Amino acid sequence: MEILADYIVVIVTGICLGVGYIIKHSLDKIPNKYIPLIMGILGVVLNSWLNGFAFTPEILIGGLASGLAATGAFEAVKNLKKEEVK
């Protein structure tokens, strides 16, 4: 996990978190099982864009890690809120 933490880009994670939230709560046509895939692809595209559309393995891993970290962060917050209600 520490290795992936080196690749996470905070800006990309934040954008993916917002887009994922919008998809989850507004677009009923997209099943929830596809949201991590969409966030991974979006993370790679955004990370590539931030680096001048260069594409290296580090950019690929950084985009995937950031997009999937956004999905995990959303689920973690959702589970914490669920436990507080009990």
Side-chain angles (χ1 to χ4, degrees), residues 13-73:
T13 304
I15 294 170
C16 287
L17 187 60
V19 171
Y21 182 85
I22 291 169
I23 290 172
K24 174 107 173 137
H25 291 95
S26 298
L27 302 174
D28 295 333
K29 293 180 181 181
I30 299 174
N32 289 339
K33 67 180 182 178
Y34 294 121
I35 293 175
L37 174 65
I38 294 168
M39 294 304 98
I41 293 169
L42 180 63
V44 170
V45 170
L46 287 172
N47 200 22
S48 178
W49 175 65
L50 286 175
N51 289 292
F53 289 106
F55 194 76
T56 63
E58 289 81 16
I59 291 173
L60 175 67
I61 293 171
L64 285 173
S66 298
L68 295 177
T71 304

Side-chain angles (χ1 to χ4, degrees), residues 2-10 47 57-59 61-63 65-66:
E2 292 178 21
I3 295 171
L4 287 179
D6 294 337
Y7 288 104
I8 292 177
V9 180
V10 178
N47 200 22
E58 289 81 16
I59 291 173
I61 293 171
S66 298

